[in-house]
Amino acid sequence: QQQVKQSPQSLIVQKGGISIINCAYENTAFDYFPWYQQFPGKGPALLIAIRPDVSEKKEGRFTISFNKSAKQFSLHIMDSQPGDSATYFCAASGTYKYIFGTGTRLKVLA
Amino acid sequence: NAGVTQTPKFQVLKTGQSMTLQCAQDMNHEYMSWYRQDPGMGLRLIHYSVGAGITDQGEVPNGYNVSRSTTEDFPLRLLSAAPSQTSVYFCASSYERGRGTEAFFGQGTRLTVV
C-alpha cells in the first residue's frame, strides 16, 4: 500500500526558531512532493513543492530538503512566526493520485 | 476566478439519510478528487476523476458514489449516511494528468451524521 509517513504529529516552536517536519514515502514512481498549509476552517493550500531532480528548494523562509536515495523529504521553516501556526501536510504525487501524510500541527509561540 | 467551490459548508444528517456534496471548479482542470479529513488521519482519498465520464475509487470509497458528467462538476453522494461518515470533506482539482502537480482545494464541507 502506498503511504507517506509524516512526523512529528505536533510541534511547538518559539518565535524566531526553526521548525522541521519530516516525511518518508515508499513508491519511487512519485514525481512531485508538495507541502500544504492549512489554517482552521480552510482548505489546504500549496506552500512549496519539489520534484525529485533537485535536492533542495527554497522560497523565502521555507525550504524543502529532498533525499531521493533515502526516500525522505523535509520542510524547514526558518525564523518561525506566530502566523505560521497551522497544520502542515506533506504529500507525494504521481499518476493521477495524491497521497498525503497525516499532518503536523505547528504552534509558534510569540 | 472562483477556483474550487464546495457547497454546503455545513450539514447535519440523520443516520440513513442521503445527500449530495457539490463541487465545481472553473479552471478547466481534468483531474478532480474528494478527500475526507479526520483527526490524526490526514487527508484520505475517497474517489477521483481524470476527466468527464471517468471515475475511480480511492482509499476509502465505501458508502460514497461519484459521477463526472462535465469537466466543471464532481458531486459526491452519500447513499445512506452513517455516523462513521462524520468528517470534513474536501474537493480538489488539478490540471495535469499523468504527472503530479498542484492541487487546488475547496473550503470544505463539515458533515455531522447523528
Side-chain angles (χ1 to χ4, degrees):
Chain A
Q1 182 179 355
Q2 299 177 2
Q3 284 188 355
V4 176
K5 296 181 180 178
Q6 182 173 348
S7 62
Q9 261 192 326
S10 63
L11 183 61
I12 300 175
V13 174
Q14 294 287 337
K15 180 182 176 182
I18 302 173
S19 304
I20 301 174
I21 306 171
N22 300 299
C23 281
Y25 63 97
E26 297 176 350
N27 191 336
T28 56
F30 292 137
D31 66 355
Y32 182 69
F33 300 90
W35 285 90
Y36 285 81
Q37 182 186 54
Q38 184 184 29
F39 294 105
K42 303 293 185 182
L46 181 68
L47 181 65
I48 186 173
I50 196 168
R51 296 206 185 265
D53 52 343
V54 297
S55 60
E56 185 175 283
K57 183 174 182 179
K58 184 176 181 179
E59 290 183 0
R61 296 184 294 108
F62 302 93
T63 299
I64 298 180
S65 296
F66 185 80
N67 186 328
K68 188 174 181 178
S69 60
K71 293 189 284 186
Q72 296 175 346
F73 58 110
S74 60
L75 176 69
H76 295 235
I77 306 174
M78 311 300 288
D79 187 26
S80 298
Q81 299 297 311
D84 297 331
S85 297
T87 299
Y88 293 81
F89 291 98
C90 65
S93 179
T95 306
Y96 303 136
K97 287 186 181 180
Y98 259 74
I99 307 296
F100 283 88
T102 50
T104 296
R105 184 171 292 185
L106 172 66
K107 185 173 178 63
V108 181
L109 302 176
Chain B
N1 191 339
V4 179
T5 302
Q6 287 183 239
T7 56
K9 285 187 168 54
F10 301 94
Q11 184 70 50
V12 178
L13 286 180
K14 293 182 178 179
T15 297
Q17 286 185 317
S18 62
M19 79 159 294
T20 299
L21 308 185
Q22 301 292 344
C23 176
Q25 53 93 7
D26 61 0
M27 297 173 282
N28 201 31
H29 285 170
E30 297 166 316
Y31 182 74
M32 296 185 74
S33 52
W34 277 100
Y35 293 87
R36 59 178 290 173
Q37 182 175 19
D38 302 291
M41 304 290 286
L43 292 155
R44 292 185 292 169
L45 182 65
I46 304 171
H47 285 285
Y48 66 97
S49 170
V50 301
I54 306 169
T55 63
D56 204 349
Q57 297 181 350
E59 181 186 357
V60 287
N62 292 339
Y64 308 95
N65 274 359
V66 292
S67 60
R68 184 96 179 269
S69 57
T70 67
T71 300
E72 294 78 19
D73 300 300
F74 191 43
L76 178 72
R77 297 182 188 85
L78 280 71
L79 306 175
S80 177
S84 60
Q85 294 179 303
T86 293
S87 187
V88 181
Y89 291 85
F90 288 100
C91 177
S93 73
S94 57
Y95 177 65
E96 256 180 290
R97 69 168 70 180
R99 190 165 186 249
T101 188
E102 179 180 0
F104 294 82
F105 284 83
Q107 293 291 294
T109 296
R110 184 174 294 274
L111 176 68
T112 302
V113 182
V114 298

